[in-house]
Structure formats: structure tokens, C-alpha cells
Amino acid sequence: MKKRILTGDRPTGKMHLGHFVGSLKNRVKLQDSLEAGLPKYDQFVMIADVQALTDNFDNPQKVRDNVKEVLLDYLAVGIDPAKTTILVQSMIPEIAELTVFYLDLVTLERVLRNPTVKEEIKQKGYGQSLPAGFAMYPISQAADITVFNASLVPVGEDQLPMIEQTREIVRKFNSLYGEVFVEPEALVGEVKRLPGIDGNSKMGKSLGNAIYLSDTEEELRKKVMGMYTDPKRIHVTDPGKVEGNPVFIYHDVFNPDKTEVADLKRRYIEGNVGDIEVKEKLFVALNELLKPIREKRNEFEGKDEILNQILKEGTARAREVAKETMTKVRNAMKIDYFK
Ligand code: ATP
Ligand code: MG
């Protein structure tokens, strides 16, 4: 059997540059990788609306609207529904079912120790009103991965604790009920964590610090020109700091002209170049990257019938796989009463 891959995104907004280098590029590569002339992997990409609702339950319209936006972003970067199964999480109730069984295999203490969840709880300022569903989302994510028995999970660095949690659940399940699941492995993208334009260590949809793949040229220019740089540098002649400076981190990641980048860095350190020139060159590099993505997105925009069909077919195919897994789970857990 081909190795299965599961990855996904929360429909909480449009997709950004962090997604592109953190996971989308990998997905396109993986969907196209061949072995002996045949596709090497069976890739499932999930639009995780159930997970999005854990912190957006009061705004279901936002989640619904963004399912389509995320799909458009997938198609724009080259994820091909003929090669990759694209599915909507909530339309596969087997995932919810498996989540309930997994809740027994994890302690509350363990879930709340998850560093990413801890950080997000702090960011969202939940205090005493933490929704139980939000705290438990790593368990639901373990069900997302294992219901497809995926062995490879392409993700950004912030998701590594989720994969570790999934591996623990798999070990526990297999030792209690028999070998049903494989332990999945994470595959981190070429950039583990792209910082935001505000200098925050992570660009995030919910953080208001993102450059979206669908931003227009004008929006892109405005965002790049307003980017956080070295706060200590006031005059062009002040020597600047390159390390940890998001403008240069982006240059390193997105500007293919390495000689230009080296020259800008040297002059920045010497106090010999203005922020405007450095940012203008970054804008040009980013615009080159985003132009074809924008155009491809435009091709699909408004074609709701085609978009719905892609989701419907992908979800139906994914559900077949999920059902097969649940038959094995019920059998292993001795709850297969009416065969
Ligand atoms: P939200 O703020 O709503 O959580 P997000 O921007 O974090 O949105 P997700 O849908 O949670 O996006 O993440 C989808 C995938 O993209 C995950 O694998 C995540 O690790 C990866 N990812 C998200 N942001 C970045 C980033 N800045 N750099 C690298 N990878 C990222
Ligand atoms: Mg996130």
C-alpha cells in the first residue's frame, strides 16, 4: 500500500506566506513525487472546520466563508484535486467518533502541558473561560491523522507537539487494543516558522500580521513598506542589525537573487542603505512569486459549482477510508455489536 499523507489548515482566514514555505510547497512536491513511475504517496488535505470552530464557535459564517478561500489558495499554489484528496473535516463524522475514544487515552494534565496550546491560550486571553473543545483540539487532530492511518504529516514547527501527542495516543491504543495504527512522522517545511510582518515570531492568520497569497500588488507593497525592521536604526547611516530582522529573513527565504541579498546585508550593516531600498527589492521578489499564484486563484474564483464538486468528491473518497478505519477500531475495541 502507498504511504498516506495527511495535512490540513484551519479555515480561519486566507493562506499566507508562512503556509507557503511551511507546508504548501511540500504538498505540491509530495503529490507529484513518483516511485517506479507511479505516485509515491496518497495525499489527503483537510480543511479543518471543526478545529476552526473550537475558537470561532461564535462566528460560524467566518469559518464557512473561509472553507472556500482556503480551497482557492490550494488550487492557486498547484494542489491538484486529481492527485490530492481535499476534504472537509466536519463532513466526516468518523473523526468525531474516534476523537471521543481518544479522549479516554489522554490525561487532562497531559493535554494542558502542550506548549503550542499553552501559548495559544495565553494569546487568546481565555483566562477562566477556556472552551474545553479548544483545549482538546490536539486529541481531535490525532483522530484527523489516524483515521487515514497517515504515516507522514507535513506541518509547521508549531505543530510538532501535536504529532508527538498523536504518536503517544497511537502507542497507547495499539498496546491496549491491538495494532491498528501506524505512528505518524512530521515533515517540517524548508522554513519551520516564518515570522510575521510585525516582528512576531510566527506569521498567523489569527494574528493580523500576515502577507496573504491573494494580497493585491498594492496591499503587498503597503505591507512590505510597513514591515518591522531593526527598531534601533533611525538614520540611514546607522549600522543596522540583520540577524532576526524579518525583512532580511524574508529576503533570505524569498529573494532568489542571492548576490543582491548579500549586497543589501553588507550595506545595511555598514549603514549604507536605506530601509526603502531594502524593502522595495523585497517587494519585487515577493511580487514575482505571488503574481502567478494570484492569477491562478482568479481563474477559479466565482466558479462555485466546480469548487463544491472538488470538495464533495474529495470528502466522499476520504470518508470511505475513514469508515474502513473505524470498522477496524470498533473491532479492536470490542464495540462491533451488530456485524
Ligand atoms: P491560526 O492563526 O488560525 O491558527 P495559522 O496561520 O496558524 O492560523 P493554521 O491553519 O493553524 O494556520 O496552520 C496550517 C499549517 O501551516 C500548520 O502546519 C502550521 O504549522 C503551518 N504554519 C502556519 N503558520 C506558519 C508559519 N508562520 N510558518 C511556517 N508554518 C506555518
Ligand atoms: Mg495555527
Side-chain angles (χ1 to χ4, degrees):
M1 208 179 71
K2 266 182 290 181
K3 267 192 168 182
R4 294 217 185 103
I5 295 176
L6 182 282
T7 70
D9 305 280
R10 295 152 37 91
T12 50
K14 296 177 175 183
M15 301 195 74
H16 53 64
L17 287 175
H19 296 124
F20 186 72
V21 287
S23 71
L24 292 172
K25 266 175 91 172
N26 252 342
R27 297 180 197 174
V28 176
K29 205 165 85 191
L30 292 165
Q31 88 178 351
D32 291 330
S33 46
L34 301 174
E35 201 170 58
L38 292 167
K40 189 168 175 193
Y41 301 103
D42 193 4
Q43 178 164 255
F44 295 81
V45 174
M46 165 181 292
I47 305 184
D49 59 341
V50 177
Q51 191 181 117
L53 284 165
T54 61
D55 53 334
N56 291 278
F57 55 86
D58 52 352
N59 199 350
Q61 192 63 45
K62 169 180 158 187
V63 173
R64 187 186 177 103
D65 292 343
N66 280 306
V67 169
K68 205 179 85 190
E69 299 298 338
V70 168
L71 175 61
L72 283 168
D73 287 324
Y74 288 170
L75 300 171
V77 298
I79 293 180
D80 177 355
K83 299 178 184 163
T84 292
T85 303
I86 304 174
L87 60 123
V88 180
Q89 185 184 24
S90 66
M91 298 307 281
I92 306 201
E94 287 74 17
I95 296 173
E97 190 187 350
L98 189 55
T99 303
V100 172
F101 301 141
Y102 283 173
L103 282 168
D104 301 332
L105 307 184
V106 183
T107 63
L108 260 183
E109 191 271 333
R110 170 67 183 90
V111 185
L112 295 172
R113 217 172 52 212
N114 182 311
T116 300
V117 176
K118 261 189 177 161
E119 169 77 27
E120 287 174 342
I121 290 171
K122 212 162 62 190
Q123 248 165 27
K124 292 172 200 292
Y126 278 133
Q128 293 302 304
S129 13
L130 171 65
F134 185 80
M136 297 303 135
Y137 89 75
I139 301 181
S140 151
Q141 205 167 314
D144 298 340
I145 296 167
T146 54
V147 93
F148 300 108
N149 229 336
S151 47
L152 203 59
V153 190
V155 284
E157 191 184 37
D158 63 308
Q159 294 300 305
L160 293 179
M162 315 309 178
I163 311 301
E164 194 41 50
Q165 173 75 85
T166 305
R167 292 167 65 89
E168 283 175 33
I169 291 175
V170 165
R171 286 197 290 269
K172 185 126 192 201
F173 186 101
N174 286 349
S175 72
L176 282 170
Y177 306 124
E179 292 286 322
V180 172
F181 295 115
V182 292
E183 270 187 57
E185 275 176 41
L187 178 71
V188 177
E190 68 184 69
V191 177
K192 294 187 179 81
R193 185 188 292 247
L194 189 76
I197 54 173
D198 60 352
N200 185 307
S201 71
K202 179 180 173 293
M203 178 179 284
K205 289 188 226 99
S206 309
L207 300 171
N209 63 5
I211 292 177
Y212 296 102
L213 301 178
S214 51
D215 277 347
T216 62
E217 208 169 301
E218 297 75 68
E219 283 165 335
L220 176 66
R221 180 185 290 278
K222 217 172 130 201
K223 285 183 183 174
V224 172
M225 290 305 168
M227 268 183 79
Y228 179 91
T229 50
D230 178 354
K232 293 211 185 83
R233 190 168 184 259
I234 296 156
H235 307 103
V236 174
T237 48
D238 294 345
K241 209 169 152 240
V242 165
E243 297 85 50
N245 184 330
V247 176
F248 283 100
I249 295 176
Y250 286 21
H251 262 298
D252 278 333
V253 176
F254 299 106
N255 190 343
D257 186 344
K258 297 302 165 209
T259 321
E260 178 176 275
V261 176
D263 172 61
L264 288 173
K265 279 186 182 170
R266 186 181 45 79
R267 287 161 58 210
Y268 196 79
I269 294 164
E270 290 169 1
N272 234 332
V273 65
D275 274 342
I276 296 189
E277 185 183 339
V278 180
K279 288 178 171 174
E280 179 63 33
K281 293 207 156 107
L282 177 61
F283 162 75
V284 172
L286 286 174
N287 199 41
E288 280 297 301
L289 171 77
L290 294 181
K291 221 160 111 189
I293 297 178
R294 252 182 241 134
E295 282 164 9
K296 187 121 190 246
R297 201 179 202 274
N298 282 341
E299 277 174 37
F300 286 101
E301 217 154 335
K303 301 204 168 119
D304 284 3
E305 221 168 290
I306 296 177
L307 298 174
N308 272 331
Q309 197 59 24
I310 291 172
L311 290 181
K312 211 170 144 187
E313 280 171 15
T315 304
R317 154 136 213 270
R319 189 156 186 211
E320 286 311 310
V321 177
K323 278 183 179 163
E324 273 171 35
T325 304
M326 286 317 289
T327 304
K328 290 183 197 152
V329 166
R330 287 190 154 269
N331 184 283
M333 293 183 72
K334 305 193 186 305
I335 49 174
D336 53 341
Y337 303 112
F338 317 118
K339 277 196 209 166

Coordinates of all heavy atoms in Angstrom, one line a residue, residues 20 23-33 43 74 77-80 83-84:
F20 N 2.9 28.9 2.8 CA 3.5 28.6 1.5 C 4.9 27.9 1.7 O 5.1 26.8 1.2 CB 3.7 29.8 0.6 CG 4.2 29.5 -0.7 CD1 3.4 28.9 -1.7 CD2 5.5 29.8 -1.1 CE1 3.9 28.6 -2.9 CE2 6.0 29.5 -2.4 CZ 5.2 28.9 -3.3
S23 N 4.3 24.7 4.5 CA 3.7 23.4 4.1 C 3.2 23.3 2.7 O 3.3 22.2 2.1 CB 2.6 23.1 5.1 OG 1.5 24.0 4.9
L24 N 2.7 24.3 2.1 CA 2.1 24.2 0.8 C 3.0 23.7 -0.3 O 2.7 22.8 -1.1 CB 1.4 25.5 0.4 CG 0.2 26.0 1.1 CD1 -0.2 27.4 0.8 CD2 -1.0 25.0 0.9
K25 N 4.3 24.3 -0.3 CA 5.2 23.9 -1.3 C 5.6 22.4 -1.2 O 5.7 21.7 -2.2 CB 6.5 24.7 -1.0 CG 6.6 25.9 -1.9 CD 7.8 26.7 -1.5 CE 9.0 26.3 -2.4 NZ 10.1 27.3 -2.2
N26 N 5.7 21.9 0.1 CA 5.9 20.5 0.3 C 4.8 19.6 -0.3 O 5.0 18.6 -0.8 CB 6.0 20.2 1.8 CG 7.4 19.9 2.3 OD1 8.2 19.6 1.4 ND2 7.6 20.1 3.5
R27 N 3.6 20.1 -0.1 CA 2.4 19.3 -0.5 C 2.4 19.1 -2.0 O 2.1 18.0 -2.5 CB 1.1 19.9 -0.1 CG 0.9 20.0 1.4 CD -0.4 20.7 1.6 NE -0.4 21.1 3.0 CZ -1.4 21.8 3.5 NH1 -2.4 22.2 2.8 NH2 -1.4 22.2 4.8
V28 N 2.8 20.2 -2.7 CA 2.8 20.1 -4.2 C 3.9 19.1 -4.6 O 3.7 18.3 -5.5 CB 3.0 21.5 -4.8 CG1 3.1 21.4 -6.3 CG2 1.8 22.4 -4.4
K29 N 5.0 19.2 -3.9 CA 6.1 18.3 -4.2 C 5.7 16.9 -4.0 O 6.0 16.0 -4.8 CB 7.3 18.7 -3.4 CG 8.7 18.3 -4.0 CD 9.8 19.0 -3.3 CE 10.2 18.3 -2.0 NZ 11.1 19.1 -1.2
L30 N 5.1 16.7 -2.8 CA 4.7 15.3 -2.5 C 3.7 14.7 -3.4 O 3.7 13.5 -3.7 CB 4.2 15.2 -1.0 CG 5.3 15.5 0.1 CD1 4.7 15.9 1.4 CD2 6.3 14.4 0.2
Q31 N 2.7 15.5 -3.8 CA 1.7 15.0 -4.7 C 2.3 14.6 -6.0 O 1.7 13.7 -6.7 CB 0.5 16.0 -4.9 CG 0.8 17.0 -6.0 CD -0.4 18.0 -6.3 OE1 -1.4 17.9 -5.7 NE2 -0.1 18.9 -7.1
D32 N 3.4 15.2 -6.4 CA 4.0 14.9 -7.7 C 5.1 13.9 -7.6 O 5.7 13.6 -8.7 CB 4.5 16.2 -8.3 CG 3.3 17.2 -8.7 OD1 2.2 16.6 -9.0 OD2 3.5 18.4 -8.7
S33 N 5.5 13.5 -6.4 CA 6.6 12.6 -6.4 C 6.2 11.2 -6.8 O 5.2 10.6 -6.4 CB 7.3 12.6 -5.0 OG 6.4 12.5 -4.0
Q43 N -2.1 11.4 -0.9 CA -2.1 12.6 0.0 C -3.6 13.1 0.3 O -4.3 13.3 -0.7 CB -1.3 13.7 -0.7 CG -1.3 15.0 0.1 CD -0.2 15.9 -0.3 OE1 0.8 16.1 0.4 NE2 -0.4 16.6 -1.4
Y74 N -5.4 26.6 -2.1 CA -4.8 25.3 -2.5 C -4.6 25.2 -4.0 O -3.6 24.9 -4.5 CB -5.7 24.2 -2.1 CG -5.8 23.9 -0.6 CD1 -6.7 23.0 -0.2 CD2 -4.9 24.4 0.3 CE1 -6.8 22.6 1.2 CE2 -5.0 24.1 1.6 CZ -6.0 23.2 2.1 OH -6.1 22.9 3.4
V77 N -1.9 27.5 -5.6 CA -0.5 27.1 -5.5 C -0.2 25.8 -6.2 O 1.0 25.4 -6.3 CB 0.0 27.0 -4.0 CG1 -0.1 28.3 -3.3 CG2 -0.7 25.9 -3.3
G78 N -1.2 25.2 -6.7 CA -0.9 24.0 -7.6 C -1.3 22.7 -6.9 O -0.9 21.6 -7.4
I79 N -2.0 22.7 -5.8 CA -2.5 21.4 -5.3 C -3.6 21.0 -6.3 O -4.5 21.7 -6.6 CB -3.1 21.6 -3.9 CG1 -1.9 21.9 -2.9 CG2 -3.8 20.3 -3.4 CD1 -2.3 22.1 -1.5
D80 N -3.5 19.7 -6.8 CA -4.3 19.3 -7.9 C -5.3 18.2 -7.3 O -4.9 17.1 -6.9 CB -3.4 18.7 -8.9 CG -4.1 18.1 -10.1 OD1 -5.4 18.0 -10.0 OD2 -3.5 17.7 -11.1
K83 N -4.8 14.6 -8.0 CA -3.7 13.9 -7.3 C -3.9 13.9 -5.8 O -3.3 13.0 -5.2 CB -2.4 14.5 -7.7 CG -2.1 14.5 -9.2 CD -0.8 15.3 -9.4 CE -0.5 15.4 -10.9 NZ 0.6 16.4 -11.1
T84 N -4.5 14.9 -5.3 CA -4.6 15.1 -3.8 C -6.1 15.1 -3.4 O -6.9 15.8 -4.1 CB -3.9 16.4 -3.4 OG1 -2.5 16.3 -3.6 CG2 -4.2 16.7 -1.9

